[in-house]
Amino acid sequence: MPKHYRPAGKKKEGNVAKYVTRSQAVKLLQVSLVTFRRLCILKGVFPREPKKKVKGNHHTYYHLKDILFVKHDPLLEKFREMRTYEKKLKKAQAKRNKDLYERLRTRKPTYTLDRLILERYPKFVDALRDLDDCLSMVHLFAALPALERENIEVKRIHNCRKLSHEWQAYIARTHKLRKVFISVKGIYYQAEVDGQKITWLTPHALQQVLPDDVDYSVMLTFLEFYETLLAFTNFKLYHSINVKYPPILDPQLEALAEELYALSRYLDANTRSSRASGSDQVEGQENEKQHDESDLRLAQLQHQLPHNEPGALMHLVEDAAGEDEDDEDTKDCKNLFKDMKFFLGREVPRESLLFVIPAFGGIVSWEGDGAPYREADQSITHQIVDRPTQGHIFLSREYVQPQWIYDCVNARVILPTEGYLVGRVPPPHLSPFVNNEAEGYVPEYAETIKRLQAAARNEVLPMPGTGKEDLEDPQRLLVEGIIDRAEAKEATEKKRKMETLKEQYHDELKMEIEGATYSSMINRNTESNAASGEAREESVPDLEQTAEDGANMAKIVMSRKKRRLLEAIEIGKKRKQANVDLLKERKKKNEAGQTSKAK
């Protein structure tokens, strides 16, 4: 009997038992394909690739445990109830039973995804890690038009816009934004919340064209889950800074479509109220009375700050002294545009700049109703313009292009405005998400920004062609000025010979004056040579030591690469000299052998 044989009716094993195809899964759950796909998206169940595809390569496989996980979910029963409800509603409409139809319309079954959020993200950090796609999807639908044929409702668009503005207001309030990059697809943002880097894409504020080859039902299912996830995330983040959620906005600003500004004012006012309540608790006031009147105070706080009060958007910066200590990165972001007032032209991306500038400590206004201050305000330091020429110019401010804001944010330093003036072609907009050192190419403007950053930190950068190790050890910069070791040895040898001849000449002159004979002259010369030799032995080593010290100094101050190269050259010379000596010895031996044979 073969080993793999199993009688009919027995339990299966291996991939046949672990994996099922999509059609088998739909049959097991007894739902339609659309409902099955929707359940899988909401539960986070995706196809898997088995090692051996039993049914063939043209099937989609799911793990059996995942299908059983979906089967026992209460959401499956809710979808079945909704399917039954739709059938009853169609039947009542077909039979023209108006009473039953109206009664059924008021009893539509509903469901929530709150339990699924807790099930898929047991910790808040898990939700933050999975927030990239969520934010990109919500910001995308916030910019799309409502279409009935694709079931994109106006209510969903407004909800996405509200959630995206709440997220941006929190990031701007806590100064968590780190990087911004403008691309053809849209504007990339990166924020750091609780140690997690979150990157999302926001489309440009242009008319969006919806292609026909996209399955919007699948995207709307993802959006349904992402809306719930982002609402829970905003709730948690707002409560972390002692702000009530959902926010109560100024109706005047909402009517003017200035929700982001209204949210900033709401956060500012609630931060003040929370600090005031905290001091009251310290003084011993009653907490119960505060809780009873909290709703009334929140409604009244909207009228404490008029909607056009100058600087109302960034009062939170003035109150930063009472906040907890932030990390160094947050402090840099908070103080980048400190004491700067910006005014936005009509042609610039207003929503993006209203998000970015307050996130880095600036105060911003725009042209239109509900703005904090007008264009004629003399305290404005920079006006953001994106047009070829500027007609009316105030001498008290600088006129720059929007790219200057984003480049300053990425560089974390205030860049010179000469290259970003009106009508000029700005410098290249470098991506902060690219590591130039790893790519092996550093753009010229990146080098300029690096030197500006070093100047802002009062650092000294090395000259082009040298490294930081040369700054740490300045002696390395003198390597090129030190004479070669061989030249130093030759100079020392010549100096020693000259000293010997000079002493010998003086000795001979003395002996000639004294009238000494030739023999006595030779004896005295021998003694004097011996004495001078001893003296030279005392003096000459100093010269040799000097030469050797110079050579050793030349070696010490060399970089490691140059030192290894010099050692390799010396080893090569020694080997060549050894080969030459060996050849000379062999030649002498051969000549000696030939002479002995001739004899």
Side-chain angles (χ1 to χ4, degrees):
M1 189 69 64
K3 251 186 177 181
H4 62 273
Y5 174 75
R6 185 171 296 276
K10 294 292 183 180
K11 186 179 177 182
K12 296 180 181 179
E13 291 183 355
N15 287 337
V16 181
K18 290 181 181 179
Y19 294 93
V20 294
T21 60
R22 188 174 64 179
S23 57
Q24 289 175 332
V26 170
K27 188 176 180 181
L28 179 64
L29 297 176
Q30 296 181 356
V31 293
S32 63
L33 183 59
V34 176
T35 307
F36 172 74
R37 187 188 291 122
R38 193 175 177 189
L39 276 168
C40 289
I41 291 172
L42 296 176
K43 292 286 290 182
V45 173
F46 300 99
R48 299 197 192 182
E49 287 290 328
K51 293 182 179 178
K52 183 180 179 182
K53 297 182 178 181
V54 183
K55 297 291 184 179
N57 293 329
H58 58 284
H59 285 286
T60 303
Y61 292 87
Y62 291 85
H63 203 282
L64 186 60
K65 286 186 178 180
D66 294 339
I67 300 303
L68 295 177
F69 180 59
V70 174
K71 183 179 180 181
H72 295 93
D73 194 274
L75 199 61
L76 178 61
E77 193 62 34
K78 280 288 182 182
F79 283 165
R80 286 173 178 163
E81 290 179 9
M82 292 178 67
R83 179 63 179 164
T84 306
Y85 165 78
E86 289 174 0
K87 287 182 179 179
K88 288 181 180 179
L89 196 65
K90 286 182 180 179
K91 188 175 181 181
Q93 188 177 9
K95 289 187 174 183
R96 298 181 181 179
N97 191 343
K98 293 183 179 180
D99 295 337
L100 180 61
Y101 181 77
E102 292 297 331
R103 210 162 48 243
L104 287 173
R105 282 187 64 186
T106 58
R107 298 177 183 177
K108 184 177 181 179
T110 58
Y111 64 93
T112 59
L113 304 179
D114 303 349
R115 182 185 49 80
L116 287 182
I117 298 296
L118 184 61
E119 181 183 281
R120 290 182 62 175
Y121 306 107
K123 295 182 179 180
F124 183 61
V125 177
D126 301 329
L128 291 177
R129 288 173 185 157
D130 202 24
L131 213 58
D132 295 359
D133 294 337
C134 170
L135 288 170
S136 298
M137 182 74 77
V138 170
H139 281 84
L140 172 64
F141 273 87
L144 291 181
L147 286 178
E148 292 185 2
R149 59 183 177 87
E150 302 294 351
N151 293 327
I152 303 177
E153 302 174 355
V154 178
K155 181 175 66 176
R156 301 284 296 272
I157 301 299
H158 284 302
N159 188 38
C160 290
R161 185 175 173 84
K162 179 177 74 72
L163 290 172
S164 62
H165 284 153
E166 289 170 358
W167 167 262
Q168 291 180 9
Y170 169 79
I171 295 297
R173 168 67 184 85
T174 54
H175 310 283
K176 300 293 186 182
L177 190 62
R178 295 293 179 263
K179 297 177 182 178
V180 186
F181 177 65
I182 304 174
S183 71
V184 178
K185 295 181 180 179
I187 304 176
Y188 287 90
Y189 299 99
Q190 187 179 87
E192 188 173 353
V193 181
D194 290 350
Q196 301 297 322
K197 292 183 178 179
I198 304 168
T199 308
W200 71 95
L201 174 64
T202 302
H204 292 293
L206 303 171
Q207 183 180 2
Q208 303 294 328
V209 179
L210 302 181
D212 297 330
D213 56 345
V214 177
D215 193 347
Y216 292 99
S217 60
V218 175
M219 294 183 68
L220 287 171
T221 306
F222 275 105
L223 180 66
E224 182 182 6
F225 180 78
Y226 287 153
E227 282 178 310
T228 311
L229 172 61
L230 188 55
F232 271 95
T233 305
N234 289 342
F235 173 83
K236 174 72 174 177
L237 294 175
Y238 273 59
H239 276 261
S240 66
I241 56 175
N242 299 323
V243 176
K244 188 176 179 181
Y245 187 87
I248 304 171
L249 304 184
D250 188 351
Q252 295 181 9
L253 291 175
E254 277 192 293
L256 295 170
E258 300 297 343
E259 295 92 348
L260 186 57
Y261 178 50
L263 279 164
S264 301
R265 289 182 54 249
Y266 173 80
L267 286 169
D268 182 24
N270 276 268
T271 306
R272 290 179 174 183
S273 64
S274 63
R275 288 175 187 167
S277 63
S279 61
D280 292 342
Q281 287 175 4
V282 174
E283 294 171 2
Q285 291 187 355
E286 296 181 356
N287 295 332
E288 296 178 358
K289 186 177 179 181
Q290 292 177 1
H291 286 296
D292 294 337
E293 298 177 356
S294 60
D295 293 335
L296 179 62
R297 289 180 61 192
L298 286 173
Q300 291 174 347
L301 281 170
Q302 298 299 324
H303 303 286
Q304 291 181 8
L305 291 174
H307 66 271
N308 59 349
E309 178 188 352
L313 183 61
M314 287 308 298
H315 275 301
L316 50 101
V317 179
E318 299 173 2
D319 301 330
E323 294 183 353
D324 298 333
E325 288 296 326
D326 297 318
D327 55 354
E328 293 297 328
D329 215 8
T330 305
K331 287 180 181 178
D332 293 342
C333 295
K334 187 186 297 185
N335 299 323
L336 181 64
F337 293 139
K338 190 177 181 181
D339 301 328
M340 290 187 182
K341 292 183 74 172
F342 297 87
F343 188 84
L344 308 180
R346 293 180 297 172
E347 67 281 354
V348 301
R350 187 173 72 180
E351 282 202 1
S352 175
L353 292 172
L354 281 174
F355 169 45
V356 173
I357 292 174
F360 288 85
I363 302 174
V364 62
S365 182
W366 62 93
E367 185 177 347
D369 297 331
Y373 48 87
R374 298 299 174 188
E375 185 180 3
D377 192 345
Q378 294 296 324
S379 61
I380 296 174
T381 58
H382 296 81
Q383 184 161 340
I384 313 301
V385 181
D386 195 10
R387 54 180 76 170
T389 57
Q390 177 68 21
H392 185 66
I393 295 178
F394 291 90
L395 299 178
S396 59
R397 68 190 69 167
E398 295 187 70
Y399 291 83
V400 292
Q401 300 182 38
Q403 185 184 325
W404 180 76
I405 296 289
Y406 301 111
D407 287 349
C408 290
V409 164
N410 295 329
R412 303 287 175 81
V413 67
I414 302 299
L415 299 174
T417 58
E418 285 78 10
Y420 300 90
L421 296 178
V422 179
R424 293 188 181 180
V425 178
H429 182 52
L430 304 177
S431 173
F433 300 99
V434 176
N435 188 354
N436 294 323
E437 302 295 336
E439 292 289 332
Y441 169 69
V442 181
E444 184 180 351
Y445 192 58
E447 292 284 355
T448 306
I449 291 176
K450 191 183 295 184
R451 299 200 174 275
L452 290 171
Q453 290 171 341
R457 294 190 296 264
N458 295 325
E459 293 181 358
V460 179
L461 288 181
M463 294 295 292
T466 58
K468 284 190 176 180
E469 64 274 4
D470 295 327
L471 287 178
E472 295 170 2
D473 187 7
Q475 291 292 336
R476 295 187 182 184
L477 298 175
L478 302 175
V479 173
E480 301 299 331
I482 296 176
I483 60 175
D484 188 67
R485 184 177 179 181
E487 294 179 2
K489 281 187 174 181
E490 281 184 330
T492 307
E493 199 67 32
K494 285 181 180 180
K495 192 171 183 180
R496 190 181 68 180
K497 287 181 180 179
M498 291 297 293
E499 290 290 332
T500 306
L501 292 172
K502 186 178 179 182
E503 288 181 4
Q504 185 179 354
Y505 177 70
H506 283 295
D507 292 342
E508 288 176 355
L509 282 177
K510 280 184 180 181
M511 293 176 70
E512 188 177 348
I513 292 170
E514 291 175 358
T517 60
Y518 180 74
S519 58
S520 61
M521 187 183 296
I522 291 173
N523 293 333
R524 290 186 65 177
N525 276 339
T526 306
E527 293 174 3
S528 65
N529 285 337
S532 64
E534 291 177 2
R536 278 195 300 270
E537 283 178 1
E538 294 177 358
S539 61
V540 169
D542 295 338
L543 299 173
E544 291 179 353
Q545 188 67 29
T546 304
E548 191 172 351
D549 290 343
N552 291 336
M553 186 64 181
K555 257 192 175 182
I556 289 170
V557 300
M558 282 183 183
S559 62
R560 187 180 296 176
K561 187 175 180 181
K562 292 183 179 180
R563 195 184 308 134
R564 287 179 179 175
L565 183 61
L566 180 61
E567 290 173 358
I569 292 172
E570 290 177 352
I571 291 170
K573 286 181 179 179
K574 289 179 180 178
R575 286 179 180 174
K576 286 181 181 178
Q577 189 63 37
N579 291 333
V580 171
D581 294 342
L582 184 62
L583 289 174
K584 286 181 179 179
E585 287 182 7
R586 287 180 180 176
K587 189 176 181 181
K588 286 180 181 180
K589 287 181 181 179
N590 291 336
E591 289 176 354
Q594 288 177 1
T595 52
S596 62
K597 284 181 182 180
K599 289 179 181 179

